[in-house]
Amino acid sequence: DLGQEEEQPAATAKKGKKPKADSMVDAAGEASRKKELERKKAEEEAAAAKLKELKGMSVEELKKQLGKRGREASGKKDELVEAFFEVVQQEEAAAARRARLRSMSPEELKQLLAARGLEASGKKDAMVEALLAHQAQKREEVQKYKERAEQVLDKRREEFGAMTAGELKDLCASKGLKVGVGKEERVERLVEDAREGGDVEKQVAELCREARRGELLAKEREELLELSRSLGVEPLVKEVLVER
């Protein structure tokens, strides 16, 4: 039968081996996954070795090293080790970023600078430093945001903690949350809801605006005019003649 003859090759193809191109793609994907796993394993082993090294340091040496880097050097040894380990990881990440940027061509660096609204000129080292400074500023802004968010959540946690178990139960129910069986559980559930619901973001944004307003008010008039010009913003400072 002609229909059966047409179906037979198709069925044979399905049961046969994969096309060579597909096999090559699968092999390449597997090699990439294997390489990524090896990289992660090497990073974990290096981190474990560094942590072991830090735990072997004395409390005084840990405090000294943290102090050199402008970090708070107080607490128990485990806390000092954890703090210094975080610093070391940040330093290693910064060194990796610097190396990655140095490996790029001047044209690639200029493109990165331009994409971030930064001046794309100067020598290669200057461009690398400008990008690193920009990245550091962004990380600082993220850290400040996190700190302010925690401040807002701590305040909300305090407000919820002042409520009675019955009030918390009703509030959870009104928000469609599980009411739980204890006051502490309800408080944490409401705090988590505030974290995910957008309320915290709004309050943090308000705190950021107020902080920025304070910074601008503390600047001299000439500084504000220069800042306005650099941003292309009309300062709206006009002389007004008043007839007396």
Side-chain angles (χ1 to χ4, degrees), residues 1 9 25 53 55 63 69 72 76 87 93 101 113-115 123 134 143-144 147 153 176 178 205 218 226-227:
D1 184 85
V25 170
E53 178 188 336
K55 287 180 178 180
K63 288 182 177 181
R69 291 162 172 80
E72 185 178 351
K76 297 179 180 180
V87 170
L101 290 173
L113 287 164
K123 295 182 178 180
H134 178 73
Q143 183 60 33
K144 284 183 178 179
E147 290 173 358
L153 288 171
K178 293 181 179 180
E226 181 61 31
L227 179 60

PDB file of all heavy atoms in Angstrom, residues 1 9 25 53 55 63 69 72 76 87 93 101 113-115 123 134 143-144 147 153 176 178 205 218 226-227:
ATOM      1  N   ASP A   1       0.848  -1.197   0.000  1.00  0.00           N
ATOM      2  CA  ASP A   1       0.000   0.000   0.000  1.00  0.00           C
ATOM      3  C   ASP A   1       0.874   1.234   0.000  1.00  0.00           C
ATOM      4  O   ASP A   1       1.846   1.327   0.764  1.00  0.00           O
ATOM      5  CB  ASP A   1      -0.911  -0.023   1.217  1.00  0.00           C
ATOM      6  CG  ASP A   1      -1.869   1.151   1.212  1.00  0.00           C
ATOM      7  OD1 ASP A   1      -2.922   1.046   0.579  1.00  0.00           O
ATOM      8  OD2 ASP A   1      -1.540   2.165   1.863  1.00  0.00           O
ATOM      9  N   PRO A   9       9.193   4.966   6.160  1.00  0.00           N
ATOM     10  CA  PRO A   9      10.444   5.705   6.340  1.00  0.00           C
ATOM     11  C   PRO A   9      10.375   6.683   7.495  1.00  0.00           C
ATOM     12  O   PRO A   9      11.331   6.860   8.229  1.00  0.00           O
ATOM     13  CB  PRO A   9      10.613   6.445   5.004  1.00  0.00           C
ATOM     14  CG  PRO A   9       9.812   5.655   4.030  1.00  0.00           C
ATOM     15  CD  PRO A   9       8.656   5.123   4.805  1.00  0.00           C
ATOM     16  N   VAL A  25      24.939  19.464  19.155  1.00  0.00           N
ATOM     17  CA  VAL A  25      24.370  20.489  20.048  1.00  0.00           C
ATOM     18  C   VAL A  25      24.239  19.939  21.463  1.00  0.00           C
ATOM     19  O   VAL A  25      24.577  20.595  22.441  1.00  0.00           O
ATOM     20  CB  VAL A  25      22.996  20.964  19.527  1.00  0.00           C
ATOM     21  CG1 VAL A  25      22.303  21.830  20.583  1.00  0.00           C
ATOM     22  CG2 VAL A  25      23.165  21.750  18.238  1.00  0.00           C
ATOM     23  N   GLU A  53      40.718  29.262  56.756  1.00  0.00           N
ATOM     24  CA  GLU A  53      41.882  30.112  57.042  1.00  0.00           C
ATOM     25  C   GLU A  53      41.514  31.242  58.001  1.00  0.00           C
ATOM     26  O   GLU A  53      42.248  31.541  58.946  1.00  0.00           O
ATOM     27  CB  GLU A  53      42.409  30.696  55.734  1.00  0.00           C
ATOM     28  CG  GLU A  53      43.592  31.639  55.913  1.00  0.00           C
ATOM     29  CD  GLU A  53      43.967  32.337  54.620  1.00  0.00           C
ATOM     30  OE1 GLU A  53      43.661  31.788  53.547  1.00  0.00           O
ATOM     31  OE2 GLU A  53      44.554  33.435  54.696  1.00  0.00           O
ATOM     32  N   LYS A  55      39.038  31.301  60.149  1.00  0.00           N
ATOM     33  CA  LYS A  55      38.723  30.761  61.470  1.00  0.00           C
ATOM     34  C   LYS A  55      39.987  30.481  62.278  1.00  0.00           C
ATOM     35  O   LYS A  55      39.945  30.426  63.515  1.00  0.00           O
ATOM     36  CB  LYS A  55      37.900  29.477  61.328  1.00  0.00           C
ATOM     37  CG  LYS A  55      36.463  29.722  60.887  1.00  0.00           C
ATOM     38  CD  LYS A  55      35.684  28.416  60.771  1.00  0.00           C
ATOM     39  CE  LYS A  55      34.235  28.687  60.388  1.00  0.00           C
ATOM     40  NZ  LYS A  55      33.444  27.433  60.254  1.00  0.00           N
ATOM     41  N   LYS A  63      39.976  41.668  64.151  1.00  0.00           N
ATOM     42  CA  LYS A  63      39.577  43.058  64.420  1.00  0.00           C
ATOM     43  C   LYS A  63      40.485  44.035  63.692  1.00  0.00           C
ATOM     44  O   LYS A  63      40.028  45.054  63.148  1.00  0.00           O
ATOM     45  CB  LYS A  63      39.615  43.325  65.929  1.00  0.00           C
ATOM     46  CG  LYS A  63      38.497  42.656  66.710  1.00  0.00           C
ATOM     47  CD  LYS A  63      38.578  43.017  68.186  1.00  0.00           C
ATOM     48  CE  LYS A  63      37.417  42.406  68.967  1.00  0.00           C
ATOM     49  NZ  LYS A  63      37.461  42.761  70.410  1.00  0.00           N
ATOM     50  N   ARG A  69      39.893  48.079  56.986  1.00  0.00           N
ATOM     51  CA  ARG A  69      38.954  48.235  55.876  1.00  0.00           C
ATOM     52  C   ARG A  69      37.749  49.082  56.253  1.00  0.00           C
ATOM     53  O   ARG A  69      36.760  49.134  55.535  1.00  0.00           O
ATOM     54  CB  ARG A  69      38.514  46.844  55.399  1.00  0.00           C
ATOM     55  CG  ARG A  69      39.642  46.065  54.726  1.00  0.00           C
ATOM     56  CD  ARG A  69      39.321  44.584  54.669  1.00  0.00           C
ATOM     57  NE  ARG A  69      40.287  43.843  53.884  1.00  0.00           N
ATOM     58  CZ  ARG A  69      41.482  43.462  54.343  1.00  0.00           C
ATOM     59  NH1 ARG A  69      41.857  43.753  55.585  1.00  0.00           N
ATOM     60  NH2 ARG A  69      42.312  42.785  53.555  1.00  0.00           N
ATOM     61  N   GLU A  72      33.148  47.634  61.078  1.00  0.00           N
ATOM     62  CA  GLU A  72      32.955  47.497  62.522  1.00  0.00           C
ATOM     63  C   GLU A  72      33.637  46.218  63.009  1.00  0.00           C
ATOM     64  O   GLU A  72      33.426  45.141  62.448  1.00  0.00           O
ATOM     65  CB  GLU A  72      31.460  47.444  62.842  1.00  0.00           C
ATOM     66  CG  GLU A  72      31.162  47.418  64.330  1.00  0.00           C
ATOM     67  CD  GLU A  72      29.680  47.414  64.622  1.00  0.00           C
ATOM     68  OE1 GLU A  72      28.888  47.604  63.678  1.00  0.00           O
ATOM     69  OE2 GLU A  72      29.315  47.199  65.789  1.00  0.00           O
ATOM     70  N   LYS A  76      31.461  38.501  68.744  1.00  0.00           N
ATOM     71  CA  LYS A  76      32.168  37.251  69.015  1.00  0.00           C
ATOM     72  C   LYS A  76      33.009  36.850  67.806  1.00  0.00           C
ATOM     73  O   LYS A  76      32.861  37.392  66.715  1.00  0.00           O
ATOM     74  CB  LYS A  76      31.153  36.146  69.343  1.00  0.00           C
ATOM     75  CG  LYS A  76      30.336  36.433  70.599  1.00  0.00           C
ATOM     76  CD  LYS A  76      29.342  35.314  70.858  1.00  0.00           C
ATOM     77  CE  LYS A  76      28.523  35.595  72.112  1.00  0.00           C
ATOM     78  NZ  LYS A  76      27.538  34.525  72.384  1.00  0.00           N
ATOM     79  N   VAL A  87      33.900  40.605  53.598  1.00  0.00           N
ATOM     80  CA  VAL A  87      34.801  41.616  53.044  1.00  0.00           C
ATOM     81  C   VAL A  87      35.729  41.002  52.001  1.00  0.00           C
ATOM     82  O   VAL A  87      35.939  41.562  50.919  1.00  0.00           O
ATOM     83  CB  VAL A  87      35.643  42.263  54.173  1.00  0.00           C
ATOM     84  CG1 VAL A  87      36.755  43.134  53.591  1.00  0.00           C
ATOM     85  CG2 VAL A  87      34.761  43.103  55.076  1.00  0.00           C
ATOM     86  N   ALA A  93      35.645  39.789  44.385  1.00  0.00           N
ATOM     87  CA  ALA A  93      34.702  40.107  43.306  1.00  0.00           C
ATOM     88  C   ALA A  93      35.131  41.394  42.597  1.00  0.00           C
ATOM     89  O   ALA A  93      35.047  41.493  41.365  1.00  0.00           O
ATOM     90  CB  ALA A  93      33.297  40.255  43.869  1.00  0.00           C
ATOM     91  N   LEU A 101      37.218  44.103  33.113  1.00  0.00           N
ATOM     92  CA  LEU A 101      37.173  45.373  32.397  1.00  0.00           C
ATOM     93  C   LEU A 101      38.498  45.662  31.694  1.00  0.00           C
ATOM     94  O   LEU A 101      38.523  46.184  30.581  1.00  0.00           O
ATOM     95  CB  LEU A 101      36.837  46.515  33.372  1.00  0.00           C
ATOM     96  CG  LEU A 101      35.403  46.532  33.916  1.00  0.00           C
ATOM     97  CD1 LEU A 101      35.258  47.593  34.987  1.00  0.00           C
ATOM     98  CD2 LEU A 101      34.395  46.766  32.803  1.00  0.00           C
ATOM     99  N   LEU A 113      30.464  52.842  29.061  1.00  0.00           N
ATOM    100  CA  LEU A 113      30.346  54.150  29.706  1.00  0.00           C
ATOM    101  C   LEU A 113      29.173  54.933  29.135  1.00  0.00           C
ATOM    102  O   LEU A 113      28.378  55.516  29.879  1.00  0.00           O
ATOM    103  CB  LEU A 113      31.643  54.939  29.529  1.00  0.00           C
ATOM    104  CG  LEU A 113      32.838  54.470  30.369  1.00  0.00           C
ATOM    105  CD1 LEU A 113      34.133  55.050  29.822  1.00  0.00           C
ATOM    106  CD2 LEU A 113      32.659  54.861  31.827  1.00  0.00           C
ATOM    107  N   ALA A 114      29.065  54.949  27.817  1.00  0.00           N
ATOM    108  CA  ALA A 114      27.987  55.689  27.156  1.00  0.00           C
ATOM    109  C   ALA A 114      26.622  55.131  27.546  1.00  0.00           C
ATOM    110  O   ALA A 114      25.663  55.881  27.770  1.00  0.00           O
ATOM    111  CB  ALA A 114      28.166  55.636  25.644  1.00  0.00           C
ATOM    112  N   ALA A 115      26.521  53.801  27.652  1.00  0.00           N
ATOM    113  CA  ALA A 115      25.249  53.157  28.007  1.00  0.00           C
ATOM    114  C   ALA A 115      24.811  53.536  29.420  1.00  0.00           C
ATOM    115  O   ALA A 115      23.616  53.497  29.735  1.00  0.00           O
ATOM    116  CB  ALA A 115      25.390  51.645  27.899  1.00  0.00           C
ATOM    117  N   LYS A 123      41.998  57.835  28.876  1.00  0.00           N
ATOM    118  CA  LYS A 123      42.793  56.634  28.705  1.00  0.00           C
ATOM    119  C   LYS A 123      42.030  55.413  29.224  1.00  0.00           C
ATOM    120  O   LYS A 123      41.066  55.540  29.967  1.00  0.00           O
ATOM    121  CB  LYS A 123      44.125  56.776  29.449  1.00  0.00           C
ATOM    122  CG  LYS A 123      45.017  57.862  28.873  1.00  0.00           C
ATOM    123  CD  LYS A 123      46.343  57.923  29.607  1.00  0.00           C
ATOM    124  CE  LYS A 123      47.258  58.984  29.003  1.00  0.00           C
ATOM    125  NZ  LYS A 123      48.554  59.056  29.709  1.00  0.00           N
ATOM    126  N   HIS A 134      31.378  53.691  39.258  1.00  0.00           N
ATOM    127  CA  HIS A 134      29.936  53.685  38.992  1.00  0.00           C
ATOM    128  C   HIS A 134      29.288  52.433  39.585  1.00  0.00           C
ATOM    129  O   HIS A 134      28.229  52.509  40.226  1.00  0.00           O
ATOM    130  CB  HIS A 134      29.694  53.734  37.487  1.00  0.00           C
ATOM    131  CG  HIS A 134      28.250  53.693  37.099  1.00  0.00           C
ATOM    132  ND1 HIS A 134      27.399  54.754  37.270  1.00  0.00           N
ATOM    133  CD2 HIS A 134      27.497  52.691  36.551  1.00  0.00           C
ATOM    134  CE1 HIS A 134      26.189  54.423  36.847  1.00  0.00           C
ATOM    135  NE2 HIS A 134      26.228  53.180  36.410  1.00  0.00           N
ATOM    136  N   GLN A 143      22.546  48.751  48.779  1.00  0.00           N
ATOM    137  CA  GLN A 143      22.713  48.453  50.194  1.00  0.00           C
ATOM    138  C   GLN A 143      21.898  49.420  51.053  1.00  0.00           C
ATOM    139  O   GLN A 143      21.256  49.010  52.027  1.00  0.00           O
ATOM    140  CB  GLN A 143      24.198  48.531  50.574  1.00  0.00           C
ATOM    141  CG  GLN A 143      24.495  48.169  52.022  1.00  0.00           C
ATOM    142  CD  GLN A 143      24.073  46.766  52.388  1.00  0.00           C
ATOM    143  OE1 GLN A 143      24.128  45.871  51.553  1.00  0.00           O
ATOM    144  NE2 GLN A 143      23.643  46.558  53.615  1.00  0.00           N
ATOM    145  N   LYS A 144      21.911  50.693  50.688  1.00  0.00           N
ATOM    146  CA  LYS A 144      21.129  51.691  51.429  1.00  0.00           C
ATOM    147  C   LYS A 144      19.642  51.391  51.327  1.00  0.00           C
ATOM    148  O   LYS A 144      18.897  51.539  52.305  1.00  0.00           O
ATOM    149  CB  LYS A 144      21.422  53.094  50.892  1.00  0.00           C
ATOM    150  CG  LYS A 144      22.757  53.660  51.336  1.00  0.00           C
ATOM    151  CD  LYS A 144      22.931  55.084  50.830  1.00  0.00           C
ATOM    152  CE  LYS A 144      24.241  55.677  51.303  1.00  0.00           C
ATOM    153  NZ  LYS A 144      24.435  57.066  50.801  1.00  0.00           N
ATOM    154  N   GLU A 147      18.830  48.557  53.654  1.00  0.00           N
ATOM    155  CA  GLU A 147      18.844  49.003  55.047  1.00  0.00           C
ATOM    156  C   GLU A 147      17.571  49.779  55.384  1.00  0.00           C
ATOM    157  O   GLU A 147      16.986  49.587  56.455  1.00  0.00           O
ATOM    158  CB  GLU A 147      20.074  49.880  55.302  1.00  0.00           C
ATOM    159  CG  GLU A 147      21.394  49.106  55.273  1.00  0.00           C
ATOM    160  CD  GLU A 147      22.602  50.004  55.348  1.00  0.00           C
ATOM    161  OE1 GLU A 147      22.407  51.248  55.386  1.00  0.00           O
ATOM    162  OE2 GLU A 147      23.734  49.497  55.376  1.00  0.00           O
ATOM    163  N   LEU A 153      10.424  47.747  57.798  1.00  0.00           N
ATOM    164  CA  LEU A 153       9.850  46.482  58.265  1.00  0.00           C
ATOM    165  C   LEU A 153       9.937  46.358  59.786  1.00  0.00           C
ATOM    166  O   LEU A 153       9.013  45.839  60.423  1.00  0.00           O
ATOM    167  CB  LEU A 153      10.575  45.307  57.601  1.00  0.00           C
ATOM    168  CG  LEU A 153      10.262  45.099  56.122  1.00  0.00           C
ATOM    169  CD1 LEU A 153      11.183  44.052  55.524  1.00  0.00           C
ATOM    170  CD2 LEU A 153       8.800  44.681  55.925  1.00  0.00           C
ATOM    171  N   GLY A 176      -6.637  38.324  53.531  1.00  0.00           N
ATOM    172  CA  GLY A 176      -6.657  37.017  52.889  1.00  0.00           C
ATOM    173  C   GLY A 176      -5.486  36.142  53.290  1.00  0.00           C
ATOM    174  O   GLY A 176      -5.106  35.229  52.555  1.00  0.00           O
ATOM    175  N   LYS A 178      -3.483  33.511  56.078  1.00  0.00           N
ATOM    176  CA  LYS A 178      -3.800  32.512  57.087  1.00  0.00           C
ATOM    177  C   LYS A 178      -3.666  33.149  58.463  1.00  0.00           C
ATOM    178  O   LYS A 178      -2.677  33.820  58.744  1.00  0.00           O
ATOM    179  CB  LYS A 178      -2.859  31.313  56.964  1.00  0.00           C
ATOM    180  CG  LYS A 178      -3.055  30.507  55.679  1.00  0.00           C
ATOM    181  CD  LYS A 178      -2.111  29.321  55.642  1.00  0.00           C
ATOM    182  CE  LYS A 178      -2.311  28.499  54.372  1.00  0.00           C
ATOM    183  NZ  LYS A 178      -1.383  27.329  54.314  1.00  0.00           N
ATOM    184  N   ALA A 205      10.815  54.547  49.113  1.00  0.00           N
ATOM    185  CA  ALA A 205      10.939  55.588  48.096  1.00  0.00           C
ATOM    186  C   ALA A 205      10.759  56.965  48.724  1.00  0.00           C
ATOM    187  O   ALA A 205      11.475  57.917  48.390  1.00  0.00           O
ATOM    188  CB  ALA A 205       9.904  55.367  46.987  1.00  0.00           C
ATOM    189  N   ALA A 218      21.416  70.965  51.745  1.00  0.00           N
ATOM    190  CA  ALA A 218      22.697  71.228  52.414  1.00  0.00           C
ATOM    191  C   ALA A 218      23.746  71.793  51.456  1.00  0.00           C
ATOM    192  O   ALA A 218      24.794  72.270  51.889  1.00  0.00           O
ATOM    193  CB  ALA A 218      23.225  69.944  53.046  1.00  0.00           C
ATOM    194  N   GLU A 226      25.290  74.276  39.302  1.00  0.00           N
ATOM    195  CA  GLU A 226      26.179  73.432  38.504  1.00  0.00           C
ATOM    196  C   GLU A 226      25.564  72.060  38.286  1.00  0.00           C
ATOM    197  O   GLU A 226      25.631  71.492  37.185  1.00  0.00           O
ATOM    198  CB  GLU A 226      27.523  73.292  39.213  1.00  0.00           C
ATOM    199  CG  GLU A 226      28.548  72.454  38.460  1.00  0.00           C
ATOM    200  CD  GLU A 226      28.885  73.032  37.106  1.00  0.00           C
ATOM    201  OE1 GLU A 226      28.848  74.271  36.955  1.00  0.00           O
ATOM    202  OE2 GLU A 226      29.168  72.235  36.188  1.00  0.00           O
ATOM    203  N   LEU A 227      24.930  71.524  39.323  1.00  0.00           N
ATOM    204  CA  LEU A 227      24.269  70.225  39.209  1.00  0.00           C
ATOM    205  C   LEU A 227      23.118  70.297  38.213  1.00  0.00           C
ATOM    206  O   LEU A 227      22.921  69.392  37.397  1.00  0.00           O
ATOM    207  CB  LEU A 227      23.758  69.779  40.583  1.00  0.00           C
ATOM    208  CG  LEU A 227      23.018  68.440  40.640  1.00  0.00           C
ATOM    209  CD1 LEU A 227      23.924  67.311  40.177  1.00  0.00           C
ATOM    210  CD2 LEU A 227      22.519  68.167  42.063  1.00  0.00           C
TER     211      LEU A 227
END
